Amino acid sequence: MKKKFSLKHKILLGYMAITLILIVLAGWAIYNFMSLDESIHDIMVENYQSVIASEGMMEALERQDSAELIFIFGQQEEALEIFQKNQIEFMKHLSRAEDNITIEEENQIISNLNKDYQTYLDKFIQLRDLANEGNIEEMQNYYLTDIMPHFQKIKNETRDLLTVNQEHMREAQSKANSRATQAIYSSIIFSVIAIILAITLGIYISNKILKPINSLTETIKEIAGGNLEKKINITTKDEIGELAEEFNSMTERLKEYEQINISKLIDEKNKSEGIVKSISNPLIVTDDENRILLINPEAEKLFNLREKDVSGTHFLEIIKEEKIFDSITETLETGKEQKGQKNDVLEFTYNNKEHYYRITTNPVKDKKGETNLVVTILEDITHLKEVDQMKSEFVSMVSHEFRTPLTSMNMSINMLLEENTGEINEDQKELLEVAKDDTEHLNNLVDDLLDLSKIESGKIDLDFENVKVEEIFNSSINPFENKASDKNIDLIQKDVGDLKVYADLNKITWVITNLIGNALRYTTEGDKIVLDANKKGHKVYISVADTGEGIPKEYQHKIFEKFVRAGTDQDESSGTGLGLPIAKEIVEAHGGRIWVKSKEGEGSKFTFTLKLPK
C-alpha cells in the first residue's frame, strides 16, 4: 500500500529543520572556541616554555654557585662534576629560551645572558687556576669580589626573562577572559533563539503526529492493565496504523497465554533484584548490546539517575565513562573477567567528597557458553587512596625535613676530612669516611623519596613530544661509555631506524639510564648490555637486556616495589631500592607498563611500552 505522507517523512522533516538550527548554533560555538583557543595558545604555548626555561636556568645557576663553594672548600673533583653537569643544563634551557623568543624584550635579555654567562665560565676557569696555586684565601677573595657579583647579575637577568614572560601571560589571560565573556553572552542569545525555534517547530510537528500516538497510547495502557478485549481503532495509512494492526494481533496471541502462571517468574525476578540492590558497591547489569538492564541504589547515587528512567537504554547514552564501557565491551568479546588495574581507577565527586572506584566486569554466560550479560561492579577504594596519599605526604614531609640537616652534616664532615678545622688521626679519619658514605647514601635516599612522592601525587610535569628512539638511546648511553669500557663490557645500541615515540625525552632517558646502571652493577668482564626497540601494533616496545648474573626468581615479582633489592644488591651502599619503582611510575604516567624477564646465570631483560607519535 502506498503511503501519501508517512510518519517517517514527517519526523524526517522535523529532524532536518532542527538539525539546521543546531548546525548554525554549532558553527557559532566553534567560532567562539577558535577565538578562545587562540588566546589560550598565547598563554600556554608562546610564553610557557620560556617560563620553564627561565626557572631551569636559575636552578642550574644556583647549583653551579654551590659547586664553586664546594670547590673552594677543597672537594674539587666533585665540585667540577656538579659545575659541568649544571653548565649543560643551563645551556640547554638557554637554547630553549632562544628558540622560543616571542616578545621583543626577550632578544636583549637573552643576548646579555649569552655574553654574561660566557664571562661567568671564564671566571670559573680563573678560579681553577688559583686552586692550582694552592692559595685558598685568594680563591675566596676572588669568589666574593668577582664571581659572586657576576652570578647575581646573571641571576637578575634570568629573573627579568621570567618576569617579562609572566607579564605577557597575564595580558594574554586578560584578553582570553574578555573573549570568553563575549562568547558567553553571544552564545546565550543564539541558544535562546535556537530553543524558541526548536520549540515552535516541535509543537507544529507534534500536532501532526502525536494525536494518533496519544490515542494508541491510551488504548495500550488499557490492554497493559489486563483488558485484552480492547481494540486499537486507528485507521491511518502510516507506520502508526501498521503498528496498531500488529498490536491487535499481538493482543489476540496474548489471550492464548493468559492462563500461564507467571507468579514463579516474578518471584525469581524479585529475588535477583533483591540481591543486586543489597550490594554495597555500585553495580550495573548490561546485555550483549550494551543496554542497561539493572542498576542498584549505590549506582543510582553515584551517577545521579533512576533505574526506571534508564532501563533498556544504551550504556553510553546515560553514563559517559569510556573506561567502564571499554571494560564491558572487552568482557563481551573475550568472555573473561576484567579486573581493574591502577590506571583504571575512576574518580567521582558527590556529597562534597572525592570517591575512587576500581572497575571489575564479570561475564554471565548462557547454556551455549556465550556471554549475553555483563555485571559491572565499581569497588570503592577511597579509603585505600586516602591511606596512600597520607603515606606519600608523610614520606615527602620527612624527606624535606631530612634534606637541610643532611646537607649540613655532609659539608661538616667534608671540612673535617679536609682538615680545615685541624688535623685528625687515622682512626678519626676512618670514622669520618664511614659517616660521609652514610650521609651520601641518605642524601640519595631523600632525593629518590622526594622524586617518587612527587610522581605518585600526580605532580610530575611531563613535556610530551615526538622523539626519536635513537636520540633517547644516545642520551642514555653517553654517561656509561667510560665505565663500561673500564669493565670491558660491550654497551650495544641496536639500529632502530627512524622509530619515534610520544614521550618526555628527559624522563624516559632517566628510566633507561637507571636500567643501564643496574645492568652494569650485575655484569662482569666480557658481558654485554643491549638496547633495542620494536614497534608492535599501536605501541613501541623498548628493552634493556644484559648477560649478567640475573635476578633470583623469588625477587622477580616484587623488584618494582619500594626498597626491594635483589641478589647481591642488598647491601646498604648499593642503592636506595627506589630506582625501579620510580621508573615504573614514570612509564605508567606515559600510559605504558614495564616488566622483567630473567634467569639466574643468564641475565635479565627489562621491557616497557610507549605510545606511537601523535
Side-chain angles (χ1 to χ4, degrees):
M1 184 187 302
K2 186 177 180 180
K3 307 176 186 67
K4 294 182 178 179
F5 201 68
S6 68
L7 178 63
K8 178 181 177 180
H9 293 149
K10 298 174 185 176
I11 296 175
L12 182 60
L13 288 174
Y15 279 160
M16 290 175 62
I18 294 174
T19 301
L20 181 60
I21 295 172
L22 292 176
I23 289 174
V24 174
L25 183 60
W28 179 250
I30 290 171
Y31 168 78
N32 286 325
F33 287 148
M34 291 176 65
S35 298
L36 286 174
D37 180 70
E38 180 182 353
S39 298
I40 294 171
H41 179 273
D42 291 341
I43 300 173
M44 300 305 296
V45 178
E46 294 185 358
N47 300 106
Y48 181 75
Q49 293 298 331
S50 295
V51 169
I52 295 299
S54 300
E55 293 175 343
M57 283 189 285
M58 281 195 284
E59 182 179 354
L61 193 63
E62 291 281 0
R63 292 184 178 177
Q64 284 184 289
D65 183 64
S66 300
E68 289 175 323
L69 291 175
I70 297 173
F71 186 91
I72 292 172
F73 282 110
Q75 293 179 287
Q76 295 177 359
E77 291 183 2
E78 180 180 355
L80 184 58
E81 181 181 352
I82 295 173
F83 188 92
Q84 291 175 342
K85 177 181 177 181
N86 285 281
Q87 178 183 344
I88 294 173
E89 286 296 312
F90 186 94
M91 295 305 297
K92 180 180 75 175
H93 291 296
L94 180 57
S95 176
R96 181 173 294 180
E98 288 176 331
D99 293 339
N100 196 50
I101 294 176
T102 58
I103 306 172
E104 184 177 353
E105 293 91 333
E106 285 183 295
N107 274 313
Q108 185 60 43
I109 295 174
I110 292 175
S111 175
N112 292 339
L113 277 172
N114 271 308
K115 180 179 63 178
D116 292 336
Y117 186 72
Q118 187 58 50
T119 304
Y120 183 74
L121 296 179
D122 294 340
K123 290 183 181 294
F124 180 71
I125 294 173
Q126 181 63 32
L127 183 65
R128 292 175 60 183
D129 292 340
L130 292 175
N132 293 333
E133 296 174 6
N135 192 331
I136 296 178
E137 184 176 353
E138 189 174 351
M139 289 170 62
Q140 293 174 343
N141 290 335
Y142 183 76
Y143 171 79
L144 292 173
T145 58
D146 285 67
I147 295 179
M148 179 173 281
H150 206 75
F151 159 76
Q152 290 294 341
K153 182 180 180 183
I154 298 173
K155 187 176 179 180
N156 289 336
E157 289 171 347
T158 307
R159 189 177 288 111
D160 290 341
L161 180 62
L162 176 64
T163 302
V164 165
N165 280 279
Q166 287 176 335
E167 288 296 327
H168 193 267
M169 289 177 71
R170 279 192 284 269
E171 293 175 4
Q173 182 181 8
S174 176
K175 181 180 177 182
N177 291 339
S178 176
R179 290 187 177 180
T181 302
Q182 180 183 356
I184 289 171
Y185 286 112
S186 60
S187 296
I188 290 173
I189 294 172
F190 272 90
S191 298
V192 169
I193 295 173
I195 290 170
I196 293 173
L197 290 175
I199 292 174
T200 303
L201 185 60
I203 293 173
Y204 174 79
I205 297 296
S206 64
N207 288 333
K208 293 291 185 181
I209 63 177
L210 285 184
K211 186 176 180 180
I213 290 178
N214 288 334
S215 176
L216 176 63
T217 301
E218 292 299 323
T219 307
I220 290 174
K221 285 181 179 179
E222 289 191 44
I223 295 173
N227 184 10
L228 298 181
E229 302 297 328
K230 185 72 173 179
K231 296 291 184 179
I232 300 174
N233 298 316
I234 295 179
T235 58
T236 59
K237 303 301 182 180
D238 56 17
E239 290 86 346
I240 295 178
E242 293 180 358
L243 177 61
E245 292 179 6
E246 292 297 325
F247 207 93
N248 287 333
S249 299
M250 181 191 70
T251 303
E252 292 296 328
R253 291 193 296 269
L254 284 175
K255 290 180 183 179
E256 299 175 6
Y257 298 103
E258 189 177 13
Q259 301 302 319
I260 295 177
N261 184 4
I262 62 171
S263 60
K264 186 177 180 180
L265 295 176
I266 294 175
D267 289 341
E268 292 299 325
K269 179 177 179 293
N270 291 335
K271 288 179 183 178
S272 299
E273 290 181 348
I275 293 172
V276 169
K277 294 182 183 301
S278 67
I279 295 175
S280 59
N281 285 318
L283 180 145
I284 305 170
V285 180
T286 52
D287 62 13
D288 54 357
E289 295 183 1
N290 298 312
R291 292 175 299 194
I292 296 175
L293 300 181
L294 189 65
I295 59 175
N296 69 348
E298 290 298 320
E300 290 181 331
K301 294 177 185 177
L302 179 63
F303 297 110
N304 192 25
L305 47 81
R306 295 185 300 175
E307 180 185 3
K308 65 179 182 179
D309 296 332
V310 301
S311 182
T313 307
H314 192 278
F315 182 90
L316 285 179
E317 291 184 28
I318 304 301
I319 303 174
K320 311 295 184 181
E321 292 293 339
E322 293 288 346
K323 285 186 178 180
I324 302 178
F325 184 72
D326 290 342
S327 295
I328 293 173
T329 53
E330 188 170 351
T331 299
L332 281 174
E333 293 171 359
T334 63
K336 297 180 180 179
E337 176 187 5
Q338 303 297 319
K339 187 75 172 179
Q341 302 299 321
K342 178 179 178 181
N343 290 335
D344 294 325
V345 174
L346 295 177
E347 179 181 352
F348 295 93
T349 301
Y350 69 92
N351 293 335
N352 297 321
K353 183 180 178 182
E354 299 293 332
H355 292 263
Y356 299 88
Y357 295 89
R358 183 165 50 207
I359 309 166
T360 301
T361 52
N362 293 279
V364 178
K365 300 182 179 181
D366 56 20
K367 294 180 179 180
K368 297 180 181 180
E370 297 179 355
T371 302
N372 54 12
L373 296 177
V374 176
V375 178
T376 303
I377 298 177
L378 302 180
E379 181 186 358
D380 191 344
I381 59 169
T382 304
H383 63 291
L384 298 178
K385 292 287 288 187
E386 291 173 346
V387 170
D388 190 58
Q389 184 177 356
M390 291 172 61
K391 174 198 67 177
S392 298
E393 290 175 352
F394 175 76
V395 170
S396 177
M397 179 191 69
V398 172
S399 300
H400 276 292
E401 292 296 327
F402 277 171
R403 172 164 281 180
T404 300
L406 282 173
T407 302
S408 177
M409 291 167 59
N410 192 37
M411 291 184 65
S412 299
I413 293 171
N414 285 327
M415 291 177 66
L416 291 172
L417 284 171
E418 295 296 329
E419 299 184 354
N420 291 332
T421 58
E423 295 185 0
I424 58 175
N425 58 41
E426 288 301 321
D427 291 339
Q428 291 170 334
K429 185 174 182 179
E430 183 177 352
L431 290 172
L432 287 171
E433 290 287 355
V434 172
K436 178 184 177 183
D437 291 341
D438 287 342
T439 55
E440 288 179 352
H441 178 74
L442 283 173
N443 265 319
N444 292 334
L445 177 60
V446 167
D447 289 340
D448 286 347
L449 281 172
L450 287 173
D451 288 341
L452 185 58
S453 177
K454 183 177 180 181
I455 295 171
E456 285 182 334
S457 65
K459 296 178 181 177
I460 181 174
D461 294 323
L462 295 177
D463 185 11
F464 282 102
E465 57 182 331
N466 296 332
V467 189
K468 284 189 175 182
V469 175
E470 183 179 16
E471 181 181 351
I472 298 175
F473 283 174
N474 290 336
S475 300
S476 303
I477 285 177
N478 285 338
F480 299 101
E481 288 181 339
N482 292 335
K483 185 175 180 180
S485 178
D486 292 342
K487 293 183 67 175
N488 196 22
I489 295 172
D490 291 331
L491 195 53
I492 302 171
Q493 174 181 333
K494 290 287 189 71
D495 182 14
V496 295
D498 293 328
L499 186 61
K500 293 183 179 181
V501 293
Y502 185 64
D504 183 312
L505 173 61
N506 292 329
K507 298 298 187 300
I508 293 302
T509 298
W510 187 97
V511 171
I512 299 177
T513 299
N514 182 267
L515 295 177
I516 295 174
N518 288 344
L520 282 171
R521 189 179 304 149
Y522 290 109
T523 49
T524 57
E525 183 176 353
D527 282 327
K528 61 182 179 179
I529 301 171
V530 181
L531 276 67
D532 197 7
N534 296 285
K535 176 185 174 184
K536 296 180 182 179
H538 299 291
K539 296 181 179 179
V540 175
Y541 289 69
I542 297 177
S543 63
V544 178
D546 64 71
T547 57
E549 63 184 61
I551 303 172
K553 188 175 182 180
E554 62 269 22
Y555 287 101
Q556 292 182 19
H557 69 285
K558 56 183 180 181
I559 59 173
F560 293 102
E561 298 176 6
K562 300 172 187 175
F563 307 111
V564 173
R565 303 186 188 93
T568 59
D569 192 24
Q570 299 183 56
D571 60 282
E572 290 297 326
S573 62
S574 62
T576 62
L578 292 173
L580 288 177
I582 293 175
K584 179 175 180 288
E585 293 291 340
I586 291 175
V587 170
E588 289 183 347
H590 280 73
R593 63 186 186 93
I594 185 170
W595 66 93
V596 64
K597 290 184 179 180
S598 182
K599 189 173 183 181
E600 287 189 80
E602 297 183 8
S604 305
K605 182 178 181 180
F606 286 83
T607 306
F608 63 91
T609 61
L610 293 175
K611 297 178 181 178
L612 288 170
K614 290 191 174 181

